């Protein structure tokens, strides 16, 4: 294992997701569902006929929660709350570890561009080193933000820079622009007791990174996306005005479409569409809310023609069982929106919800999470992670009638407790699906289906899912 910092650095269990409890009745129902065959057994793998499980690489030196994925050439970059791991995926059946970098700090959301890796730190740390320890956010000297690594030598990443950002960096989205890389930093939940995370926090941090001098990376602005009166700006007020809905105090995740100078933001209680022609000064075009079925706007995905956005609702924060009959099909789901109109008059218009059709046990955390397009011309196809709901492949070509066309999942981690696990991110890259399972490690899936097979011809040199490529140059 490579320690990008002093050798005394150790994984920090304080940054890990926690294990919850269920009632005796819920545990009994889970065991009964397993025995009757309604759901797979503990750790049992099931999948549709069009999906094959090629490989699983368990966790190794990094024992924390597995998080997001990025890709470059023959390499996959896998975030983990204790750092990140690089895999050689030139043979998808036998991925091989190239490097493991120990650098604790949730979530370690990861992006890659050229020779640079960007890592988000969204837990308050004693300093910006990879040997840091947990420290209260109420301490002024505490640090959160974005770390930058040089991967010129892929086997030996070097930590080269760090930029502190207000309220940390829950996620990062890169926007390459010539000699520079802009980083949009999403973070939220300010508190008057936190010196570096003060309300109102109604925007995003923007970092500018010179490719040839990443050590000069610096914060260049904090554009306000939700202007308004009062201490919290103009975002969703949440409860009690909108019961069960998160108050908007920043964004959770942003997806940019550089070829269209367009971005979509999933911002807690709001979904937004904005113009990024001037990367340092994004302009909001439209803002929508769903105060009936969306609790927490989590992520966004454009279709290839840039006339639709899929927003996800992370009901329960990713730690709850929401894929069941009680919650129903419209909550903890995807919301499909058409983009109607042109220019600054474009509007997000709701069409339908999509949720996996298989009920999960009450011991399984399950909700809509990270996914990517499967590039097939003329179709809107997506692969998506659902935590312990597994991996779903679905079609939203008809915005009003989405349908699942394939799946992969494991049975619950436990039939008696709600142990957090499952697929955090599931992305399509160069002919295969790659999934980073929180507990079980790195999975490789092969999808064979006439509806998706044309995507195998599309080859990418680099893929950061939140920086969506122009797979077909937006041809009609």
């Amino acid at each position: 294992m490579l320690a990008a910092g002093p050798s005394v650095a150790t994984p920090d269990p304080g940054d890990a997701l926690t294990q919850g409890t269920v009632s005796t009745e819920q545990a009994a129902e889970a065991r009964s569902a397993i025995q009757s065959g309604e759901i797979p057994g503990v750790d049992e793998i099931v999948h549709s006929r069009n999906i094959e499980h090629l490989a699983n690489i368990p966790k190794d030196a990094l024992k924390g929660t597995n998080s997001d994925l990025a890709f470059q050439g023959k390499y996959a970059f896998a975030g983990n709350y204790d750092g990140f791991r690089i895999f050689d995926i030139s043979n998808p059946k036998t991925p091989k570890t190239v490097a493991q970098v120990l650098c604790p700090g949730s979530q370690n959301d990861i992006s890659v561009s050229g020779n640079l890796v960007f890592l988000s730190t969204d837990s308050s740390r004693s300093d910006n080193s990879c040997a840091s320890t947990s420290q209260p956010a109420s301490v002024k000297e505490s640090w959160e933000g974005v770390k930058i690594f040089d991967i010129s030598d892929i086997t030996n990443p070097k930590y080269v820079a760090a930029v502190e950002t207000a309220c940390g960096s829950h996620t990062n989205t890169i926007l390459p622009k010539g000699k520079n890389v802009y980083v949009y930093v999403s973070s939220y939940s300010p508190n008057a007791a936190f010196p570096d995370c003060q309300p109102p926090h109604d925007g995003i941090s923007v970092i500018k990174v010179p490719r040839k001098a990443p050590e000069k990376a610096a914060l260049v602005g904090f554009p306000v996306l939700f202007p308004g009166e009062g201490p919290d700006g103009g975002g969703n007020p949440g409860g009690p005005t909108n019961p069960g809905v998160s108050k908007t105090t920043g964004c959770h995740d942003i997806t940019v479409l550089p070829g269209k100078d367009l971005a979509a933001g999933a911002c807690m209680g709001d979904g937004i569409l904005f113009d990024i022609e001037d990367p340092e000064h994004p302009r909001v075009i439209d803002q929508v809310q769903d105060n009936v079925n969306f609790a927490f706007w989590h992520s966004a995905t454009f279709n290839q023609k840039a006339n639709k956005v899929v927003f996800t609702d992370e009901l329960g924060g990713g730690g709850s069982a929401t894929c069941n009959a009680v919650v129903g099909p419209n909550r903890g789901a995807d919301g499909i929106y058409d983009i109607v109109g042109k220019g600054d008059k474009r509007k997000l218009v709701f069409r339908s919800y999509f949720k996996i059709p298989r009920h999960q046990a009450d011991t399984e955390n399950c909700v809509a999470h990270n996914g990517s397009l499967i590039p097939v011309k003329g179709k809107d196809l997506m692969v998506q992670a659902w935590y312990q709901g597994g991996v779903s492949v679905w079609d939203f070509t008809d915005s009003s009638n989405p349908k699942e066309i394939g799946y992969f999942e494991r049975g619950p981690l436990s039939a008696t407790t709600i142990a957090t696990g499952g697929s955090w991110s599931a992305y399509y890259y160069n002919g295969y699906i790659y999934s980073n399972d929180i507990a079980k490690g790195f999975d490789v899936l092969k999808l064979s289906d006439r509806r998706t097979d044309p995507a195998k011809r599309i080859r990418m040199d680099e893929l950061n899912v939140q920086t969506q490529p122009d797979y077909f140059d937006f041809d009609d």
Side-chain angles (χ1 to χ4, degrees):
M1 177 173 62
L2 297 171
S7 59
V8 296
T10 56
D12 190 340
D15 289 335
L17 294 175
T18 57
Q19 180 169 300
T21 60
V22 296
S23 68
T24 302
E25 181 181 357
Q26 288 172 319
E29 289 175 353
R31 290 193 297 270
S32 175
I34 291 171
Q35 291 169 0
S36 68
E38 292 179 44
I39 64 171
V42 172
D43 288 342
E44 179 186 358
I45 291 176
V46 297
H47 52 82
S48 55
R49 288 188 295 178
N50 56 359
I51 289 182
E52 180 184 357
H53 188 206
L54 295 184
N56 171 261
I57 308 299
K59 293 181 186 179
D60 187 27
L62 306 177
K63 305 299 184 184
T65 296
N66 280 334
S67 57
D68 210 3
L69 295 169
F71 304 90
Q72 186 181 83
K74 65 178 184 179
Y75 300 108
F77 299 78
N80 179 285
Y81 278 38
D82 286 332
F84 66 97
R85 188 175 182 179
I86 305 174
F87 294 99
D88 182 334
I89 55 173
S90 52
N91 183 350
K93 292 183 178 180
T94 57
K96 298 187 183 304
T97 299
V98 174
Q100 296 186 75
V101 176
L102 179 62
C103 197
S106 64
Q107 301 188 131
N108 279 339
D109 191 56
I110 193 165
S111 300
V112 60
S113 182
N115 289 328
L116 301 177
V117 160
F118 304 90
L119 207 63
S120 288
T121 300
D122 193 36
S123 57
S124 186
R125 313 295 298 180
S126 54
D127 55 50
N128 66 5
S129 77
C130 287
S132 68
T133 57
S134 294
Q135 182 167 286
S138 56
V139 177
K140 172 62 180 172
E141 292 73 22
S142 294
W143 185 91
E144 299 179 66
V146 174
K147 297 167 182 168
I148 304 171
F149 295 79
D150 187 307
I151 53 167
S152 300
D153 179 355
I154 197 74
T155 66
N156 187 26
K158 298 295 186 183
Y159 183 13
V160 294
V163 179
E164 186 171 15
T165 54
C167 300
S169 174
H170 196 73
T171 61
N172 72 80
T173 302
I174 62 171
L175 179 60
K177 285 279 187 178
K179 297 179 180 179
N180 301 304
V181 179
Y182 287 92
V183 185
Y184 286 165
V185 178
S186 295
S187 57
Y188 51 92
S189 295
N191 189 310
F194 299 163
D196 298 319
C197 185
Q198 292 283 298
H201 184 76
D202 46 14
I204 57 174
S205 297
V206 181
I207 298 171
K208 184 178 181 180
V209 185
R211 288 190 183 277
K212 293 186 177 180
E215 69 279 1
K216 296 181 179 179
L219 189 69
V220 293
F222 186 85
V224 173
L225 302 178
F226 301 97
E229 300 294 331
D232 299 313
N236 198 316
T241 303
N242 298 316
V245 177
S246 294
K247 179 169 68 174
T248 298
T249 59
C251 290
H252 177 276
D253 210 350
I254 290 168
T255 293
V256 296
L257 206 52
K260 286 283 191 179
D261 288 328
L262 198 61
C267 303
M268 303 181 73
D270 294 87
I272 59 173
L273 188 70
F274 56 106
D275 182 293
I276 55 171
E277 184 176 7
D278 180 349
E280 295 184 27
H281 302 95
R283 296 184 303 106
V284 174
I285 298 170
D286 195 26
Q287 174 182 351
V288 292
Q289 298 177 357
D290 178 348
N291 294 316
V292 176
N293 288 314
F294 260 48
F296 187 92
W297 295 66
H298 174 276
S299 53
T301 303
F302 288 98
N303 70 334
Q304 174 56 33
K305 290 185 178 180
N307 59 9
K308 298 176 188 177
V309 182
V310 174
F311 288 103
T312 67
D313 172 30
E314 195 183 39
L315 174 68
S320 300
T322 72
C323 298
N324 51 41
V326 173
V327 174
N330 296 336
R331 299 173 62 226
D334 297 317
I336 303 164
Y337 286 74
D338 284 352
I339 300 174
V340 177
K342 295 182 178 181
D344 287 351
K345 294 184 179 180
R346 284 172 286 191
K347 296 291 183 183
L348 292 163
V349 179
F350 174 77
R351 296 303 186 204
S352 67
Y353 299 106
F354 170 77
K355 193 170 184 179
I356 56 173
R358 296 169 309 286
H359 286 163
Q360 307 294 305
D362 285 336
T363 61
E364 295 180 276
N365 62 304
C366 175
V367 75
H369 215 237
N370 293 345
S372 77
L373 291 184
I374 299 175
V376 174
K377 206 165 189 177
K379 298 289 184 181
D380 294 326
L381 305 171
M382 188 170 173
V383 58
Q384 186 176 2
W386 289 79
Y387 289 117
Q388 286 194 72
V391 174
S392 177
V393 178
W394 60 291
D395 184 331
F396 63 104
T397 307
D398 180 349
S399 301
S400 299
N401 186 33
K403 56 185 178 182
E404 185 176 71
I405 61 175
Y407 70 91
F408 167 90
E409 70 166 295
R410 290 180 170 89
L413 286 170
S414 170
T416 57
T417 62
I418 183 161
T420 301
S423 179
W424 179 290
S425 297
Y427 298 147
Y428 188 92
Y429 178 69
N430 289 352
Y432 296 87
I433 294 170
Y434 297 91
S435 167
N436 212 18
D437 188 290
I438 290 171
K440 295 298 182 180
F442 183 71
D443 287 306
V444 185
L445 309 177
K446 182 179 181 181
L447 175 62
S448 300
D449 190 293
R450 60 178 177 77
R451 294 164 290 190
T452 60
D453 285 346
K456 295 177 181 179
R457 297 194 292 266
I458 305 297
R459 312 301 292 181
M460 306 297 298
D461 295 325
E462 191 171 274
L463 179 65
N464 298 284
V465 169
Q466 287 74 36
T467 307
Q468 278 193 222
D470 308 352
Y471 291 107
F472 309 109
D473 295 323
F474 299 105
D475 288 344
D476 291 326

